[in-house]
Amino acid sequence: MFSGCQFSIYPMSDQFVDIILPAVAKLHQFTDLRIQTDDLSTLVVGPPERVFAAVTAAFAAACHQGGHVVLSALFSQGCPGEPDDPICTPNAAPNAYAEPQQQSLTGVPTEAQFSLYPLGYTDYMPLIAEVVDAAQAAGTLDERKHFCSRLRGDLAQVMLSVEQAFHHAASRTGHVVIHLTASTGSPSLKQTQHS
Amino acid sequence: MFSGCQFSIYPMSDQFVDIILPAVAKLHQFTDLRIQTDDLSTLVVGPPERVFAAVTAAFAAACHQGGHVVLSALFSQGCPGEPDDPICTPNAAPNAYAEPQQQSLTGVPTEAQFSLYPLGYTDYMPLIAEVVDAAQAAGTLDERKHFCSRLRGDLAQVMLSVEQAFHHAASRTGHVVIHLTASTGSPSLKQTQHS
C-alpha cells in the first residue's frame, strides 16, 4: 500500500525562505520516510503515523519562528495505481479511537479545517459524520463549515483528530484522502464576515 | 444543488493583509454570489462557472501586486446534506470539453497542482484519468505527481483546465470536489529535490 502526504508551508513573511527551509529540514530526522521537495509541495512517503508525525514536526518548527504561518496538506492512502511501497507498511493496524494516546503539546495554538474523502465508497457521508462527531467528542471541533470542518486547539490535538479520522476512514475503505489547512498567528478575528 | 468554493490566498510577504483584503474585495463585483470570509478561508457560493471566475479574479488581483503568492482552493458541488440553493443553478449544463472557449489571458504565470475527487462513485479512477488526459491535450499538464497532477500556464489556462475537469466529473456523478494549489512568483526551481 502507498501512503503519504503532499504538504506546503506558507509563512506570510518576507523571510519565507528562511522559515520554510529549516522547517522542511526537520524531516531529515525521519530517516524511515521518503522525502521529495519541489517548488509547490513536499512529498513524504511512509506509514501514516510516521507521515503525520513528520508533517507536524515540520509545521511546528515553522510556527516556532513566529508570525502567521499556514500549513496545507493532502494525506492519502491506498490510491489505486500507486506503487505498493513496503516502506508504507505500518507496524500494526491502528485502532483509531480505541485508546487515548499520550500527547505532548506543541505550544502552537492552531485554527484548522479539514475535509475527508473516502473514495470509491458509496456510504461515505455517514463515515464523514462519524469522524466529525469524534472530533467534537475530543473537544477539537469548532464549527461545521460548508465543505469542511473547523478544528481548534494545540497543534498536537488538532493533528491527532485529523490522524484519527484518517485511520478510522482507512478501516472502512481502501482509498482515503484528507485535506487539511492549519493556521497560526492570523491577525484576523475568527468572526465570519458576510457580504 | 449547492456549489461553491472555500479558498485562501497566501502572499509570502510582511504586507500580506494589504494584499489579501483588496484581492478578496474584487469579489464584490460578483453580486450574484454569496460571499463569506473568516480567518481561514473565503466561501463563494453560486453556479460553478461564476465561482471559478470569482476565485480567478481574486487570485489574479493578489498576483498583480507582485511577489510569491499562493492560492489554495476547494471547489465542491452536490454535497449531500447541503442546502438546495437556487443561486447555484447554472444557466445551462456546461459541456466541459465540447467547444473551445475564448480566453483572456491574465499575464500571471502559474504553477499549480490539483486533485479531483468524484465522491460516492466507484468508477472514479478512469474519470480522473480522463481529466488528466484532457489537461495534457490542452497543453496545461506539466507532470503527474503522487496524489495530484501538476499544471502550468497562464492563470486563465490553468483555471480553465481545472474548471473543465470539474464540469466533466459533474456530468458523471452528483458530488464532485477539486482541490487546487496555484502558485506564482516562487523563487524555487521547479526541479525536484530528493533526500
Side-chain angles (χ1 to χ4, degrees):
Chain A
M1 178 153 324
F2 193 87
S3 59
C5 179
Q6 292 276 10
F7 77 97
S8 308
I9 292 173
Y10 304 123
M12 307 314 141
S13 164
D14 292 349
Q15 308 305 316
F16 66 96
V17 174
D18 297 332
I19 298 170
I20 294 172
L21 294 186
V24 173
K26 287 280 174 192
L27 298 172
H28 293 318
Q29 65 187 278
F30 294 85
T31 52
D32 52 330
L33 303 180
R34 183 144 47 88
I35 316 289
Q36 209 171 305
T37 295
D38 68 19
D39 57 318
L40 289 176
S41 58
T42 292
L43 172 71
V44 182
V45 175
E49 65 276 18
R50 294 290 290 161
V51 167
F52 274 94
V55 173
T56 303
F59 182 54
C63 294
H64 285 138
Q65 301 286 316
H68 178 24
V69 190
V70 171
L71 167 73
S72 178
L74 182 181
F75 298 94
S76 179
Q77 176 174 306
C79 181
E82 294 277 11
D84 186 9
D85 197 321
I87 72 164
C88 299
T89 306
N91 290 327
N95 191 341
Y97 299 112
E99 44 196 276
Q101 301 186 25
Q102 191 68 32
Q103 274 197 290
S104 308
L105 299 187
T106 62
V108 178
T110 303
E111 304 285 340
Q113 57 196 28
F114 81 107
S115 310
L116 167 66
Y117 306 113
L119 278 304
Y121 186 66
T122 51
D123 207 26
Y124 65 104
M125 288 302 294
L127 179 52
I128 292 171
E130 286 168 25
V131 307
V132 175
D133 289 348
Q136 187 163 38
T140 50
L141 184 71
D142 180 56
E143 187 190 357
R144 290 166 164 83
K145 294 178 66 169
H146 291 296
F147 317 138
C148 56
S149 298
R150 185 175 174 121
L151 304 177
R152 173 182 286 173
D154 182 89
L155 175 63
Q157 296 168 317
V158 166
M159 293 302 286
L160 178 62
S161 281
V162 176
E163 184 179 351
Q164 286 175 328
F166 190 83
H167 290 310
H168 182 63
S171 72
R172 296 278 184 81
T173 183
H175 185 188
V176 174
V177 173
I178 283 185
H179 277 262
L180 168 70
T181 299
S183 169
T184 195
S186 170
S188 300
L189 295 173
K190 189 225 146 176
Q191 192 178 354
T192 299
Q193 294 168 346
H194 297 260
S195 70
Chain B
M1 175 151 327
F2 193 86
S3 60
C5 179
Q6 292 277 11
F7 78 96
S8 308
I9 292 171
Y10 304 123
M12 308 313 141
S13 163
D14 292 349
Q15 309 304 317
F16 65 95
V17 173
D18 297 333
I19 298 169
I20 294 172
L21 294 185
V24 172
K26 287 280 172 193
L27 298 173
H28 293 318
Q29 66 188 278
F30 295 84
T31 53
D32 52 329
L33 303 180
R34 182 143 48 86
I35 316 288
Q36 209 172 303
T37 296
D38 68 18
D39 58 318
L40 288 177
S41 58
T42 292
L43 173 70
V44 181
V45 175
E49 65 276 19
R50 295 289 292 160
V51 167
F52 275 94
V55 173
T56 303
F59 182 54
C63 294
H64 285 137
Q65 301 287 315
H68 177 24
V69 190
V70 170
L71 167 73
S72 178
L74 183 180
F75 298 93
S76 179
Q77 177 173 305
C79 182
E82 293 276 12
D84 187 7
D85 197 322
I87 72 165
C88 298
T89 307
N91 291 327
N95 191 340
Y97 300 112
E99 46 196 276
Q101 301 186 25
Q102 191 68 30
Q103 274 197 289
S104 308
L105 298 187
T106 62
V108 177
T110 303
E111 304 285 339
Q113 56 195 29
F114 81 107
S115 310
L116 166 67
Y117 307 114
L119 277 305
Y121 185 68
T122 51
D123 207 26
Y124 65 104
M125 288 302 295
L127 177 53
I128 292 171
E130 285 168 27
V131 307
V132 174
D133 288 348
Q136 186 162 38
T140 51
L141 184 72
D142 180 55
E143 187 191 355
R144 290 160 217 262
K145 294 178 66 170
H146 292 297
F147 316 139
C148 56
S149 297
R150 185 175 175 122
L151 304 177
R152 173 181 287 173
D154 182 89
L155 175 62
Q157 297 168 317
V158 166
M159 293 301 286
L160 178 62
S161 281
V162 176
E163 184 179 351
Q164 287 176 327
F166 191 83
H167 291 310
H168 182 63
S171 72
R172 296 279 183 80
T173 182
H175 185 188
V176 173
V177 173
I178 283 184
H179 277 262
L180 169 69
T181 299
S183 169
T184 195
S186 170
S188 300
L189 295 175
K190 190 224 147 176
Q191 192 179 352
T192 298
Q193 294 169 346
H194 297 260
S195 69

Coordinates of all heavy atoms in Angstrom, one line a residue, chain B residues 69-142:
Chain B
V69 N 2.9 34.4 -4.4 CA 1.5 34.3 -3.8 C 1.0 32.9 -4.2 O 1.2 32.4 -5.3 CB 0.6 35.4 -4.4 CG1 -0.7 35.4 -3.7 CG2 1.2 36.8 -4.4
V70 N 0.3 32.3 -3.2 CA -0.3 31.0 -3.5 C -1.8 31.0 -3.2 O -2.3 31.7 -2.3 CB 0.4 30.0 -2.5 CG1 -0.4 28.6 -2.6 CG2 1.8 29.7 -2.9
L71 N -2.5 30.3 -4.1 CA -4.0 30.1 -3.9 C -4.2 28.7 -3.5 O -3.6 27.7 -4.1 CB -4.7 30.3 -5.2 CG -6.1 29.9 -5.3 CD1 -7.1 30.8 -4.5 CD2 -6.6 29.8 -6.8
S72 N -5.0 28.5 -2.4 CA -5.4 27.1 -2.1 C -7.0 27.1 -2.2 O -7.6 27.9 -1.5 CB -4.9 26.8 -0.7 OG -5.4 25.5 -0.3
A73 N -7.5 26.3 -3.0 CA -9.0 26.3 -3.2 C -9.6 24.9 -3.2 O -9.0 24.0 -3.7 CB -9.3 27.0 -4.5
L74 N -10.8 24.9 -2.6 CA -11.6 23.6 -2.5 C -12.9 24.0 -3.3 O -13.7 24.7 -2.8 CB -11.8 23.3 -1.1 CG -12.6 22.1 -0.6 CD1 -12.7 22.0 0.9 CD2 -14.0 21.9 -1.2
F75 N -13.1 23.4 -4.5 CA -14.3 23.6 -5.2 C -15.2 22.4 -5.0 O -14.7 21.2 -5.0 CB -14.0 23.7 -6.7 CG -13.2 24.8 -7.1 CD1 -11.8 24.7 -7.2 CD2 -13.7 26.1 -7.4 CE1 -11.0 25.8 -7.5 CE2 -13.0 27.2 -7.7 CZ -11.6 27.0 -7.8
S76 N -16.5 22.6 -4.7 CA -17.4 21.5 -4.4 C -18.7 21.7 -5.1 O -19.2 22.8 -5.2 CB -17.5 21.3 -2.9 OG -18.4 20.3 -2.6
Q77 N -19.4 20.6 -5.5 CA -20.7 20.7 -6.0 C -21.5 19.4 -5.6 O -20.9 18.3 -5.6 CB -20.7 20.8 -7.5 CG -22.1 20.8 -8.1 CD -22.1 21.0 -9.6 OE1 -21.5 22.0 -10.1 NE2 -22.6 20.1 -10.4
G78 N -22.7 19.6 -5.1 CA -23.6 18.4 -4.9 C -23.3 17.6 -3.7 O -23.7 16.5 -3.6
C79 N -22.7 18.3 -2.7 CA -22.5 17.5 -1.4 C -23.9 17.2 -0.8 O -24.7 18.1 -0.5 CB -21.7 18.4 -0.5 SG -21.3 17.5 1.1
P80 N -24.1 15.9 -0.5 CA -25.4 15.6 0.2 C -25.5 16.3 1.5 O -24.5 16.4 2.2 CB -25.3 14.1 0.4 CG -24.2 13.6 -0.6 CD -23.3 14.7 -0.7
G81 N -26.7 16.8 1.8 CA -26.9 17.4 3.1 C -26.7 18.9 3.0 O -27.1 19.6 4.0
E82 N -26.1 19.4 2.0 CA -26.0 20.9 1.8 C -27.4 21.4 1.3 O -28.1 20.7 0.7 CB -24.9 21.3 0.8 CG -23.5 20.9 1.3 CD -22.9 22.0 2.2 OE1 -23.6 22.9 2.6 OE2 -21.7 21.9 2.4
P83 N -27.7 22.6 1.7 CA -29.0 23.2 1.2 C -29.1 23.3 -0.3 O -28.1 23.5 -1.0 CB -29.0 24.6 1.8 CG -27.6 24.9 2.1 CD -26.9 23.6 2.4
D84 N -30.3 23.1 -0.8 CA -30.5 23.2 -2.3 C -30.7 24.6 -2.6 O -31.8 25.2 -2.5 CB -31.8 22.4 -2.6 CG -31.9 22.3 -4.1 OD1 -31.1 22.7 -4.9 OD2 -33.0 21.8 -4.5
D85 N -29.6 25.3 -3.0 CA -29.6 26.8 -3.1 C -29.9 27.2 -4.5 O -29.1 26.9 -5.4 CB -28.3 27.3 -2.6 CG -28.3 28.8 -2.3 OD1 -29.0 29.5 -3.0 OD2 -27.7 29.2 -1.3
P86 N -31.0 27.9 -4.8 CA -31.3 28.4 -6.1 C -30.2 29.2 -6.8 O -30.1 29.2 -8.0 CB -32.6 29.2 -6.0 CG -33.1 28.9 -4.6 CD -32.0 28.4 -3.8
I87 N -29.4 30.0 -6.0 CA -28.4 30.8 -6.6 C -27.3 30.0 -7.3 O -26.5 30.5 -8.0 CB -27.8 31.8 -5.7 CG1 -26.8 31.2 -4.6 CG2 -28.8 32.7 -5.0 CD1 -25.9 32.2 -3.9
C88 N -27.3 28.7 -7.0 CA -26.2 27.8 -7.5 C -26.6 27.2 -8.9 O -25.8 26.6 -9.5 CB -25.9 26.7 -6.6 SG -25.3 27.3 -5.0
T89 N -27.8 27.4 -9.3 CA -28.3 26.8 -10.6 C -27.6 27.5 -11.8 O -27.8 28.7 -12.0 CB -29.8 27.0 -10.7 OG1 -30.4 26.4 -9.5 CG2 -30.3 26.2 -11.9
P90 N -26.9 26.7 -12.6 CA -26.3 27.3 -13.8 C -27.3 27.6 -14.8 O -28.4 26.9 -14.8 CB -25.3 26.3 -14.2 CG -25.5 25.0 -13.4 CD -26.6 25.3 -12.4
N91 N -27.0 28.5 -15.7 CA -28.0 28.8 -16.8 C -28.2 27.5 -17.7 O -29.3 27.2 -18.1 CB -27.5 29.9 -17.7 CG -27.5 31.2 -16.9 OD1 -28.4 31.4 -16.1 ND2 -26.6 32.1 -17.2
A92 N -27.2 26.8 -18.0 CA -27.3 25.6 -18.8 C -26.2 24.7 -18.4 O -25.1 25.1 -17.9 CB -27.1 25.9 -20.3
A93 N -26.4 23.4 -18.5 CA -25.4 22.4 -18.1 C -24.2 22.6 -19.1 O -24.4 22.5 -20.3 CB -26.0 21.0 -18.2
P94 N -23.0 22.9 -18.6 CA -21.9 23.1 -19.5 C -21.4 21.8 -20.0 O -21.4 20.8 -19.3 CB -20.9 23.8 -18.6 CG -21.2 23.3 -17.2 CD -22.7 23.1 -17.2
N95 N -21.0 21.8 -21.3 CA -20.4 20.6 -21.9 C -18.9 20.8 -21.8 O -18.3 21.6 -22.6 CB -20.9 20.4 -23.3 CG -20.5 19.1 -23.9 OD1 -19.6 18.5 -23.4 ND2 -21.2 18.6 -24.9
A96 N -18.3 20.2 -20.9 CA -16.9 20.6 -20.4 C -15.9 20.8 -21.5 O -15.3 21.9 -21.6 CB -16.4 19.6 -19.4
Y97 N -15.8 19.9 -22.5 CA -14.8 20.0 -23.4 C -15.3 20.2 -24.9 O -14.6 20.1 -25.8 CB -13.9 18.7 -23.4 CG -13.3 18.4 -22.1 CD1 -13.7 17.4 -21.3 CD2 -12.3 19.3 -21.6 CE1 -13.1 17.1 -20.1 CE2 -11.7 19.0 -20.4 CZ -12.1 18.0 -19.6 OH -11.5 17.7 -18.4
A98 N -16.6 20.5 -25.0 CA -17.2 20.5 -26.3 C -16.7 21.5 -27.2 O -16.4 21.3 -28.4 CB -18.7 20.7 -26.2
E99 N -16.6 22.8 -26.8 CA -16.1 23.8 -27.7 C -15.1 24.6 -27.1 O -15.1 24.9 -25.9 CB -17.3 24.7 -28.1 CG -18.2 25.1 -26.9 CD -19.5 25.7 -27.3 OE1 -19.6 26.8 -27.6 OE2 -20.5 24.9 -27.3
P100 N -14.1 25.0 -27.8 CA -13.0 25.8 -27.3 C -13.6 27.2 -26.8 O -14.4 27.8 -27.5 CB -12.0 26.0 -28.4 CG -12.8 25.7 -29.6 CD -13.9 24.7 -29.3
Q101 N -13.2 27.6 -25.6 CA -13.7 28.9 -25.1 C -12.7 30.0 -25.4 O -11.5 29.8 -25.5 CB -13.9 28.8 -23.6 CG -14.9 27.6 -23.2 CD -15.2 27.6 -21.8 OE1 -15.1 28.7 -21.1 NE2 -15.6 26.5 -21.3
Q102 N -13.3 31.2 -25.7 CA -12.4 32.3 -25.9 C -11.8 32.7 -24.5 O -12.5 32.8 -23.5 CB -13.3 33.5 -26.4 CG -12.5 34.7 -26.9 CD -11.8 34.4 -28.1 OE1 -12.2 33.5 -28.9 NE2 -10.6 35.0 -28.3
Q103 N -10.5 32.9 -24.5 CA -9.9 33.2 -23.2 C -9.1 34.5 -23.2 O -8.4 34.8 -24.2 CB -8.8 32.1 -22.9 CG -9.4 30.9 -22.3 CD -8.2 30.1 -21.7 OE1 -7.5 29.5 -22.4 NE2 -8.1 30.1 -20.4
S104 N -9.3 35.2 -22.2 CA -8.4 36.4 -22.0 C -7.3 35.9 -21.0 O -7.6 35.5 -19.9 CB -9.2 37.6 -21.3 OG -10.3 37.8 -22.0
L105 N -6.1 36.1 -21.4 CA -5.0 35.7 -20.5 C -4.9 36.7 -19.4 O -5.2 37.9 -19.6 CB -3.7 35.5 -21.3 CG -3.7 34.4 -22.4 CD1 -2.4 34.2 -23.0 CD2 -4.3 33.1 -21.8
T106 N -4.3 36.3 -18.3 CA -4.2 37.2 -17.1 C -2.8 37.8 -17.0 O -2.6 38.7 -16.2 CB -4.4 36.4 -15.8 OG1 -3.4 35.4 -15.7 CG2 -5.8 35.7 -15.8
G107 N -1.8 37.2 -17.7 CA -0.4 37.6 -17.5 C 0.2 37.1 -16.3 O 1.3 37.6 -15.9
V108 N -0.5 36.2 -15.6 CA 0.1 35.6 -14.4 C 0.6 34.2 -14.7 O -0.2 33.2 -14.9 CB -1.0 35.5 -13.3 CG1 -0.4 34.8 -12.0 CG2 -1.5 36.9 -12.9
P109 N 2.0 34.0 -14.8 CA 2.5 32.7 -15.0 C 2.3 31.8 -13.7 O 2.6 32.2 -12.6 CB 4.0 32.9 -15.2 CG 4.3 34.2 -14.7 CD 3.0 35.0 -14.6
T110 N 1.7 30.7 -13.9 CA 1.2 29.9 -12.8 C 1.7 28.4 -12.8 O 1.7 27.8 -13.9 CB -0.4 29.9 -12.8 OG1 -0.8 31.2 -12.8 CG2 -1.0 29.1 -11.7
E111 N 2.2 28.0 -11.7 CA 2.5 26.6 -11.4 C 1.4 26.1 -10.5 O 1.1 26.8 -9.5 CB 3.9 26.5 -10.7 CG 5.0 27.1 -11.5 CD 5.4 26.3 -12.7 OE1 5.1 25.1 -12.8 OE2 6.1 26.9 -13.6
A112 N 0.8 25.0 -10.8 CA -0.3 24.5 -10.0 C -0.3 23.0 -9.9 O 0.3 22.3 -10.6 CB -1.6 25.0 -10.6
Q113 N -1.1 22.5 -8.9 CA -1.4 21.1 -8.8 C -2.8 20.9 -8.3 O -3.3 21.8 -7.5 CB -0.4 20.3 -8.0 CG -0.2 20.8 -6.6 CD 1.1 20.2 -6.0 OE1 2.1 19.9 -6.7 NE2 1.1 20.0 -4.7
F114 N -3.5 19.9 -8.8 CA -4.9 19.7 -8.4 C -5.2 18.3 -8.3 O -4.6 17.4 -8.9 CB -5.9 20.4 -9.4 CG -6.2 19.6 -10.7 CD1 -7.4 19.0 -10.8 CD2 -5.2 19.5 -11.7 CE1 -7.7 18.2 -12.0 CE2 -5.5 18.7 -12.8 CZ -6.7 18.1 -13.0
S115 N -6.3 18.0 -7.5 CA -6.8 16.6 -7.3 C -8.3 16.7 -7.4 O -8.9 17.6 -6.9 CB -6.4 16.1 -5.9 OG -5.1 16.3 -5.6
L116 N -8.8 15.7 -8.2 CA -10.2 15.6 -8.4 C -10.7 14.4 -7.5 O -10.2 13.3 -7.6 CB -10.5 15.3 -9.9 CG -11.9 14.8 -10.2 CD1 -12.9 15.9 -10.0 CD2 -11.9 14.4 -11.7
Y117 N -11.8 14.6 -6.8 CA -12.5 13.6 -6.0 C -13.9 13.5 -6.4 O -14.8 14.2 -5.9 CB -12.3 13.9 -4.5 CG -10.9 14.2 -4.1 CD1 -10.5 15.4 -3.6 CD2 -10.0 13.2 -4.1 CE1 -9.2 15.7 -3.3 CE2 -8.6 13.4 -3.8 CZ -8.3 14.7 -3.3 OH -7.0 14.9 -3.0
P118 N -14.3 12.5 -7.2 CA -15.7 12.2 -7.5 C -16.1 11.3 -6.4 O -15.7 10.1 -6.2 CB -15.6 11.4 -8.8 CG -14.2 11.5 -9.3 CD -13.4 11.7 -8.1
L119 N -17.1 11.8 -5.5 CA -17.5 11.0 -4.3 C -18.6 10.1 -4.6 O -19.5 10.4 -5.5 CB -17.9 12.0 -3.2 CG -16.8 12.7 -2.3 CD1 -15.9 11.6 -1.7 CD2 -15.9 13.6 -3.1
G120 N -18.7 9.0 -3.9 CA -19.8 8.1 -4.0 C -19.9 7.4 -5.3 O -20.9 7.0 -5.8
Y121 N -18.7 7.3 -6.0 CA -18.7 6.8 -7.4 C -17.6 5.8 -7.5 O -16.4 6.2 -7.4 CB -18.4 8.1 -8.2 CG -18.5 7.9 -9.7 CD1 -19.7 7.6 -10.4 CD2 -17.4 8.0 -10.5 CE1 -19.8 7.4 -11.8 CE2 -17.4 7.9 -11.9 CZ -18.6 7.6 -12.5 OH -18.7 7.4 -13.9
T122 N -18.0 4.6 -7.7 CA -16.9 3.5 -7.7 C -16.0 3.5 -8.9 O -14.9 3.1 -8.7 CB -17.6 2.1 -7.5 OG1 -18.6 2.0 -8.6 CG2 -18.3 2.0 -6.2
D123 N -16.4 4.1 -10.0 CA -15.6 4.0 -11.2 C -14.8 5.4 -11.3 O -14.7 5.9 -12.4 CB -16.5 3.8 -12.4 CG -15.7 3.1 -13.5 OD1 -14.8 2.4 -13.3 OD2 -16.1 3.3 -14.7
Y124 N -14.3 5.8 -10.3 CA -13.7 7.2 -10.2 C -12.3 7.3 -10.9 O -11.9 8.3 -11.4 CB -13.7 7.7 -8.8 CG -12.8 7.0 -7.9 CD1 -11.5 7.5 -7.5 CD2 -13.1 5.7 -7.4 CE1 -10.7 6.8 -6.6 CE2 -12.3 5.0 -6.5 CZ -11.1 5.6 -6.1 OH -10.3 4.9 -5.3
M125 N -11.5 6.2 -10.8 CA -10.2 6.3 -11.3 C -10.1 6.6 -12.9 O -9.3 7.4 -13.3 CB -9.3 5.1 -11.0 CG -9.0 5.0 -9.5 SD -8.0 6.4 -8.8 CE -6.5 6.3 -9.7
P126 N -10.9 5.9 -13.7 CA -10.9 6.2 -15.1 C -11.4 7.7 -15.4 O -10.8 8.3 -16.3 CB -11.9 5.2 -15.7 CG -12.0 4.1 -14.8 CD -11.7 4.7 -13.4
L127 N -12.3 8.1 -14.5 CA -12.8 9.5 -14.7 C -11.6 10.5 -14.4 O -11.4 11.5 -15.1 CB -14.0 9.8 -13.7 CG -14.6 11.1 -13.7 CD1 -15.0 11.6 -15.1 CD2 -15.8 11.1 -12.8
I128 N -10.9 10.2 -13.4 CA -9.7 11.1 -13.0 C -8.7 11.1 -14.2 O -8.2 12.1 -14.6 CB -9.1 10.6 -11.7 CG1 -10.0 10.9 -10.5 CG2 -7.7 11.3 -11.5 CD1 -9.6 10.3 -9.2
A129 N -8.5 9.9 -14.7 CA -7.5 9.7 -15.9 C -8.0 10.6 -17.1 O -7.2 11.2 -17.8 CB -7.4 8.3 -16.3
E130 N -9.3 10.6 -17.3 CA -9.8 11.4 -18.4 C -9.5 12.9 -18.3 O -9.2 13.5 -19.2 CB -11.4 11.2 -18.5 CG -11.8 9.8 -19.1 CD -13.3 9.5 -18.9 OE1 -14.1 10.5 -18.9 OE2 -13.6 8.3 -18.8
V131 N -9.7 13.4 -17.1 CA -9.5 14.9 -16.9 C -8.0 15.2 -17.0 O -7.6 16.3 -17.5 CB -10.1 15.4 -15.7 CG1 -11.6 15.1 -15.6 CG2 -9.4 15.1 -14.4
V132 N -7.2 14.3 -16.5 CA -5.7 14.5 -16.7 C -5.3 14.4 -18.1 O -4.5 15.3 -18.6 CB -4.9 13.5 -15.8 CG1 -3.4 13.6 -16.0 CG2 -5.3 13.6 -14.3
D133 N -5.8 13.5 -18.8 CA -5.6 13.4 -20.3 C -6.0 14.7 -21.0 O -5.4 15.1 -21.9 CB -6.2 12.2 -20.9 CG -5.6 10.9 -20.5 OD1 -4.5 10.9 -19.9 OD2 -6.2 9.8 -20.7
A134 N -7.2 15.2 -20.6 CA -7.7 16.4 -21.2 C -6.8 17.6 -21.0 O -6.6 18.4 -21.8 CB -9.1 16.7 -20.7
A135 N -6.2 17.7 -19.8 CA -5.3 18.7 -19.5 C -4.0 18.6 -20.3 O -3.5 19.6 -20.8 CB -4.9 18.7 -18.0
Q136 N -3.6 17.3 -20.5 CA -2.5 17.1 -21.4 C -2.8 17.6 -22.8 O -2.0 18.2 -23.5 CB -2.1 15.6 -21.4 CG -0.8 15.3 -22.1 CD -0.3 13.9 -21.7 OE1 -1.0 13.0 -21.5 NE2 1.0 13.8 -21.6
A137 N -4.0 17.2 -23.3 CA -4.4 17.6 -24.7 C -4.4 19.2 -24.8 O -4.1 19.7 -25.8 CB -5.7 17.0 -25.0
A138 N -4.8 19.8 -23.7 CA -4.9 21.3 -23.7 C -3.6 22.0 -23.5 O -3.5 23.2 -23.7 CB -5.9 21.7 -22.6
G139 N -2.6 21.2 -23.2 CA -1.2 21.8 -23.1 C -0.9 22.3 -21.7 O 0.1 22.9 -21.5
T140 N -1.8 22.1 -20.7 CA -1.5 22.6 -19.4 C -0.9 21.6 -18.4 O -0.4 21.9 -17.4 CB -2.8 23.1 -18.7 OG1 -3.8 22.1 -18.8 CG2 -3.3 24.4 -19.4
L141 N -1.0 20.3 -18.8 CA -0.4 19.3 -17.9 C 1.1 19.3 -17.9 O 1.7 19.3 -19.0 CB -0.9 17.9 -18.3 CG -0.4 16.8 -17.3 CD1 -1.1 16.8 -16.0 CD2 -0.5 15.4 -18.0
D142 N 1.7 19.5 -16.7 CA 3.1 19.5 -16.6 C 3.7 18.2 -16.2 O 4.8 17.7 -16.6 CB 3.5 20.6 -15.7 CG 5.0 20.7 -15.5 OD1 5.7 20.9 -16.5 OD2 5.5 20.6 -14.4

